[in-house]
Amino acid sequence: MDLNTSTAVQDTLHQAKGDVGSDWIMHHILDSHQLDIAPFGSIQLPHLSLFGLDISITKHVVFLWLVAILLIIAFKIASNAYKKSMVPHGVANFLEVLIVFVRDDIAKPSIGKGFEKFLPFLLTVFFFILFSNFVGLIPNGATITSNISVTITLAVISFIVVQAGGIIKNGPLGYFLGLIPSGVPWWLLPVMFIVEILGLFTKPFALAIRLFANMTAGHIVILALIGLIFFMQTYFVAPVSVAFALFIYLLEILVALIQAYIFTMLSALFIGMAVHQEH
Amino acid sequence: MAIINNLAFLAFSGGGESSGGLLDVNPGLIIWTVITFVLLLVLLKKMAWGPILNSLNERETFIKDSLDKADQARIDAEKLLEENKANLAKAEEEAQKIIQQGREYSEKLKVQLLEESKAEAKKMIAEATSEIERKNQEAFNNLKDQVADIAVSAAEKIIRTNLDKEKQTKLVDEYLNDLNKN
């Protein structure tokens, strides 16, 4: 594609922007101080600050709490079901499949011996991301995992759990000495040390960026496809846009599951590497 | 590439009035996320993961125990069946032995009885023979007596009648005829 066409397209879009703009895409993706309830307008959220720090209850904070409440309700129902009978029904049965999946297919093979200690963290992370991703797919919902602040926080918590697990298991000195693989020539040690320390931080960074990018990309693509109808200002593009948007939406459902799985899987893997340093 | 850059620029530069760009980190949201996540972790651990994982483990051990028990029961049943079979075979053998013994006994009894009856018969035959012998002897003795008597009575008659030859002969014949008739 040559530069002329690209500038032509850009001009067209700039022109279109005059009418519709692309603010609305970012408005859907980014955090804001108003909660949209589509056909009924929007609610203005309060600004709060503590010691000069902005701790406003923003749209993403509201959805953060919504996810937390949904999680608590779902698992309260599930754990109550086990009090009644050993055989789960309904919600408990569905959640049990996922719990057993996290336990037997993520935690057990990745961490190995002593995986039970990390199970609460892994389960919470898995279901938190899963619920967040799915809440974001609901109309009017906001995807909190497409906000980099949230994914960075999750990655940092995962990082802390990994390091704490390694240090508690191997002792502070043993853990940091164990970071360097055995059989490395002595003159490589300083380089290896730097590389390994760097590696510790790149892992959670990758976790945060991966989750954020995956959850953001799908939404932007869906919004852009729908936006085509308004940019082009024609009804003829609508069937194509809607078909593609639906396809991406279905893909998003898959991505929502996969990203929850990958984040948990990699956290478990890093925990396993930190706890059992032999390999 | 250029178009992608331009589109990206368009997309990323759009969110002006919202709280910054796509990659802006918001400390307030981080604080809320930490608080919410940690609270969630603690709450769910106490409320859900503990009880659910416990009951999962309980159920797994229960199922495992049940399976083990069932397996044990099957092994026991098999052993019992084997024992029963062995007992049955032993009983069969016992019965066969008893039948065999009975048969042998009856055979022996038969032979013995036969032997005994043969001996009895022999004895009876011998007795009968001696009886016949004795009877014969008796009859012979009787006959001898009778012959003597007859001879004496014939002699008497001869003497009583006249002693002519003709008469004599006739008398003897007559007498002999009489004798024959008797």
Side-chain angles (χ1 to χ4, degrees):
Chain A
M1 211 174 274
D2 60 300
L3 203 67
N4 281 340
T5 5
S6 101
T7 43
V9 170
Q10 202 185 345
D11 285 344
T12 320
L13 290 182
H14 271 299
Q15 225 169 9
K17 202 182 162 200
D19 297 321
V20 237
S22 67
D23 278 3
W24 61 278
I25 291 186
M26 283 302 109
H27 177 79
H28 275 278
I29 301 295
L30 292 174
D31 203 0
S32 70
H33 285 286
Q34 55 181 0
L35 198 61
D36 295 316
I37 306 169
F40 312 109
S42 62
I43 300 168
Q44 206 62 39
L45 293 165
H47 286 263
L48 281 175
S49 69
L50 187 74
F51 308 124
L53 205 64
D54 181 25
I55 52 159
S56 309
I57 312 297
T58 57
K59 185 169 76 176
H60 282 170
V61 176
V62 172
F63 277 95
L64 185 72
W65 289 345
L66 181 71
V67 167
I69 289 165
L70 281 176
L71 274 169
I72 287 170
I73 291 171
F75 284 100
K76 188 76 204 159
I77 291 170
S79 73
N80 280 349
Y82 283 99
K83 279 179 199 149
K84 276 184 239 147
S85 114
M86 236 180 187
V87 186
H89 294 285
V91 180
N93 204 349
F94 172 68
L95 291 175
E96 187 195 302
V97 175
L98 295 173
I99 292 171
V100 170
F101 171 71
V102 172
R103 189 190 62 176
D104 291 348
D105 292 328
I106 295 177
K108 212 183 263 178
S110 306
I111 303 176
K113 222 172 117 248
F115 72 95
E116 293 90 348
K117 257 190 305 182
F118 299 98
L119 213 45
F121 166 71
L122 292 174
L123 284 167
T124 311
V125 161
F126 179 78
F127 284 105
F128 180 76
I129 295 173
L130 190 70
F131 275 50
S132 302
N133 293 351
F134 277 121
V135 163
L137 287 177
I138 297 167
N140 275 329
T143 324
I144 55 171
T145 40
S146 72
N147 189 316
I148 195 145
S149 306
V150 175
T151 60
I152 280 179
T153 314
L154 288 175
V156 167
I157 293 171
S158 160
F159 173 77
I160 291 168
V161 170
V162 171
Q163 304 312 317
I167 288 169
I168 289 169
K169 179 77 200 301
N170 303 305
L173 196 68
Y175 174 66
F176 285 109
L177 287 177
L179 283 177
I180 298 157
S182 53
V184 173
W186 63 270
W187 49 269
L188 257 182
L189 284 182
V191 183
M192 282 311 287
F193 188 72
I194 293 166
V195 166
E196 290 294 333
I197 293 291
L198 224 66
L200 287 185
F201 293 98
T202 51
K203 282 171 194 165
F205 181 73
L207 275 183
I209 295 298
R210 182 182 300 111
L211 182 58
F212 154 75
N214 271 287
M215 294 323 294
T216 309
H219 285 254
I220 289 182
V221 170
I222 289 176
L223 291 167
L225 282 169
I226 298 295
L228 272 184
I229 302 168
F230 303 98
F231 278 132
M232 306 268 175
Q233 303 223 308
T234 165
Y235 291 115
F236 296 112
V237 78
V240 183
S241 278
V242 170
F244 272 96
L246 188 64
F247 169 71
I248 299 292
Y249 189 88
L250 294 176
L251 206 66
E252 278 284 276
I253 293 176
L254 194 67
V255 170
L257 276 162
I258 289 172
Q259 288 309 314
Y261 167 67
I262 287 182
F263 195 99
T264 318
M265 182 71 199
L266 288 176
S267 293
L269 218 60
F270 297 153
I271 292 170
M273 278 158 68
V275 172
H276 307 292
Q277 288 183 316
E278 302 79 48
H279 35 263
Chain B
M1 263 336 271
I3 188 165
I4 295 169
N5 282 342
N6 289 329
L7 283 172
F9 163 76
L10 206 64
F12 280 84
S13 63
E17 51 92 30
S18 304
S19 45
L22 207 52
L23 287 166
D24 279 5
V25 175
N26 177 4
L29 188 55
I30 288 181
I31 290 168
W32 284 124
T33 311
V34 170
I35 293 170
T36 312
F37 188 83
V38 171
L39 267 177
L40 198 63
L41 180 61
V42 171
L43 260 173
L44 283 181
K45 189 181 175 183
K46 206 172 150 208
M47 208 181 67
W49 308 139
I52 290 175
L53 289 174
N54 269 347
S55 35
L56 279 179
N57 282 339
E58 249 170 56
R59 199 179 57 202
E60 270 154 22
T61 45
F62 175 74
I63 290 170
K64 214 170 138 222
D65 284 357
S66 300
L67 283 176
D68 284 351
K69 263 186 213 158
D71 211 37
Q72 192 57 45
R74 192 179 55 79
I75 288 167
D76 283 354
E78 259 168 25
K79 225 164 73 185
L80 210 68
L81 199 72
E82 207 65 28
E83 242 166 55
N84 279 351
K85 257 188 199 159
N87 279 349
L88 207 68
K90 227 160 81 184
E92 184 91 2
E93 204 181 316
E94 198 89 349
Q96 216 59 42
K97 223 164 82 186
I98 288 168
I99 289 170
Q100 192 61 33
Q101 265 176 4
R103 207 169 272 160
E104 269 168 26
Y105 182 70
S106 70
E107 200 68 27
K108 228 164 76 185
L109 206 66
K110 203 171 91 185
V111 170
Q112 200 186 337
L113 278 177
L114 210 65
E115 212 67 23
E116 259 172 29
S117 59
K118 260 186 194 162
E120 192 83 1
K122 245 183 201 163
K123 215 170 95 190
M124 274 163 84
I125 288 167
E127 259 172 27
T129 315
S130 68
E131 182 77 18
I132 288 164
E133 201 70 25
R134 205 171 50 80
K135 287 270 162 144
N136 270 354
Q137 199 61 42
E138 219 178 74
F140 188 66
N141 285 348
N142 272 352
L143 196 65
K144 241 173 36 191
D145 285 354
Q146 270 179 5
V147 168
D149 276 354
I150 289 163
V152 170
S153 64
E156 223 179 62
K157 267 188 185 167
I158 291 165
I159 293 163
R160 254 186 238 152
T161 49
N162 300 331
L163 286 171
D164 65 281
K165 191 152 182 200
E166 260 173 79
K167 268 187 184 171
Q168 233 174 347
T169 314
K170 209 182 150 196
L171 202 70
V172 170
D173 284 343
E174 218 168 78
Y175 190 73
L176 279 174
N177 267 348
D178 259 10
L179 206 68
N180 273 351
K181 266 178 203 163
N182 281 341

